[in-house]
Amino acid sequence: MSLMIQIVDIHGREILDSRGNPTIEVEVTAQTETTGKKITAIESVPSGASTGKFEAVELRDGNPRYFGLGVLNVVDHINNRIRKELLGMNVLDQVKIDRRIIELDGTDNKENLGANATLGVSLACASCAAKALDMPLFRYLGGTNAKRLPRPMMNVINGGVHAANLLDFQEFMIVPVSASTFSEALRMGAEVYHYLKLLLHEDGMLTAVGDEGGFAPDLHTADEVFRYLTKAVEKAGYKPGEDIAFAMDAAASELYDEERDVYIFPGEEVIRSADEMISLYEHLIDEYPLISIEDGLNEEAWEGWQKLKQRIGDRVMLVGDDLFVTNSKRIRCGIELDAANAVLVKVNQIGTLTEAMDAIELCHRAGYQSIISHRSGETEGSFISDLAVAVNSGYIKSGAPCRGERTAKYNELLRIEEQLTLAKFEKR
Ligand SMILES: C=C(OP(=O)(O)O)C(=O)O
Ligand SMILES: [Mg+2]
């Protein structure tokens, strides 16, 4: 007979995210049949700013309170429709739970219940199951083969829609490639982060931070940013490329002008065609140890992505975020067209844990890298850290090594590292 841990309550509430906007938190309570013991777990839902056009729908209530950004309608969906549907189910039946939620919503993009409602419940069920079994979440999610810590991609310079500066590209990240453990990588990243602050300050630049904890100075071009990053790496006593590599999220869909089929850079005051974007990336790879470019082109430019892959796919990771939106259908399309080689995974882009894990499995089978990612609007939760270890993902993107909602994820990985006997990174 299989173990029964029955869902006895589901309760959603409105909380605030790191940008001061309302978001969802869900408590799931389950009761063990054998002992009668009740277990409650809480998970919360992040929110993006540079959201992809094809993401599952994040519902908002449109009421005057919180300028229309409230989520009381979503809370109502959790506490009534979803609660009623799931009460009595076995909390260990994650796939069944997620299928029920998907069926109850009945749409392709979760517009009925809201992906914020469905994800909150889905994650809280998984957490509750792990707690009920007295297992670490990463072990429950990944089983016996969960053993690899993700290498952090730390966003130390913020631009685009994540900061009010003149920098058009959204994220510039450092990746400690010579570190052999997560804790070493985190320390190296934090050291570079502090030297970067010093250098910017010495040059009279603002060291206020953007949404993801990276500095938001009024730099204009990617070249200027990478020159600062190079200096900061050297000041910290590391070798650019050998010890610390760079990554960027162009978030090109935010720069794209559909009517003119060009990319507009208001800060730089230039306009680029898709070919010019690719040439710029070629130049950046030639000049700096850039190992990963996310959303280098618009989210619908499949042919452009194919060209990008042909021209630089053997030199860098080409990561689809807005392109794939953690959606297996779109990832399959990318694999068939040979349009990328890596997938950014954001659980709230798709709205259930099962669908996110299916997307990760699909990309690993195709030989794509997966990067488990936070959102620019975050909570203090750290579910994605456990998920990254559970699926043996190569990388995690959780912003700067600063600001509580970002360090919550990195610090959880430090705790997980202590629990794993084989916590060393795999050889690159
Ligand atoms: C984390 C990102 O930002 P957002 O959450 O605003 O989409 C991103 O684009 O990768
Ligand atoms: Mg992105």
Side-chain angles (χ1 to χ4, degrees), residues 75-90:
V75 169
D76 185 59
H77 291 163
I78 295 167
N79 292 343
N80 291 292
R81 292 169 68 192
I82 300 180
R83 182 177 181 276
K84 244 184 253 158
E85 189 70 22
L86 302 188
L87 282 190
M89 284 187 80
N90 190 342

Side-chain angles (χ1 to χ4, degrees), residues 249 294-295 321 346 397:
D249 181 0
E294 180 183 327
D295 280 351
D321 170 12
K346 292 167 165 169
K397 190 174 101 154

Side-chain angles (χ1 to χ4, degrees), residues 11 19 34 86 88 108 137 140 174 189 195 233-234 262 272 293 321 339 366-367 392 405 413 418:
H11 180 72
R19 269 194 282 256
T34 44
L86 302 188
D108 270 354
L137 182 57
Y140 171 70
I174 49 175
Y195 275 105
V233 167
E234 286 168 349
V262 291
R272 292 187 173 96
I293 300 170
D321 170 12
N392 295 312
E405 76 281 3
L413 285 162
E418 285 185 1

Side-chain angles (χ1 to χ4, degrees), residues 148-185:
R148 182 175 169 197
L149 275 111
R151 201 176 286 276
M153 287 182 164
M154 290 171 260
N155 181 6
V156 293
I157 297 275
N158 292 189
V161 298
H162 292 172
N165 57 357
L166 295 173
L167 194 57
D168 301 308
F169 284 132
Q170 184 176 284
E171 299 173 22
F172 291 88
M173 295 166 270
I174 49 175
V175 192
V177 287
S178 70
S180 56
T181 60
F182 178 82
S183 45
E184 190 186 352

Side-chain angles (χ1 to χ4, degrees), residues 359-392:
I360 297 167
E361 192 180 323
L362 176 63
C363 86
H364 286 181
R365 278 212 202 126
Y368 276 38
Q369 283 281 358
S370 65
I371 301 159
I372 311 299
S373 173
H374 66 160
R375 299 304 308 240
S376 51
E378 263 298 336
T379 71
E380 308 80 39
S382 56
F383 193 99
I384 60 166
S385 309
D386 287 80
L387 179 63
V389 178
V391 298
N392 295 312

Side-chain angles (χ1 to χ4, degrees), residues 193 196-202 205-210 214-217:
Y193 180 74
L196 180 61
K197 181 173 184 175
L198 215 65
L199 287 171
L200 291 170
H201 185 71
E202 275 171 11
M205 229 114 27
L206 274 181
T207 52
V209 299
F215 303 113

Side-chain angles (χ1 to χ4, degrees), residues 59-126:
L59 276 191
R60 300 277 168 187
D61 62 22
N63 294 335
R65 55 187 292 283
Y66 285 128
F67 319 106
L69 291 176
V71 285
L72 291 183
N73 54 338
V74 184
V75 169
D76 185 59
H77 291 163
I78 295 167
N79 292 343
N80 291 292
R81 292 169 68 192
I82 300 180
R83 182 177 181 276
K84 244 184 253 158
E85 189 70 22
L86 302 188
L87 282 190
M89 284 187 80
N90 190 342
V91 80
L92 301 176
D93 274 341
Q94 187 71 40
V95 174
K96 213 166 163 184
I97 289 168
D98 287 345
R99 283 203 186 132
R100 277 268 181 100
I101 297 173
I102 292 164
E103 275 165 26
L104 182 67
D105 173 80
T107 66
D108 270 354
N109 59 0
K110 317 254 178 348
E111 64 184 299
N112 214 330
L113 296 169
N116 34 358
T118 62
L119 184 73
V121 174
S122 180
L123 299 187
C125 282

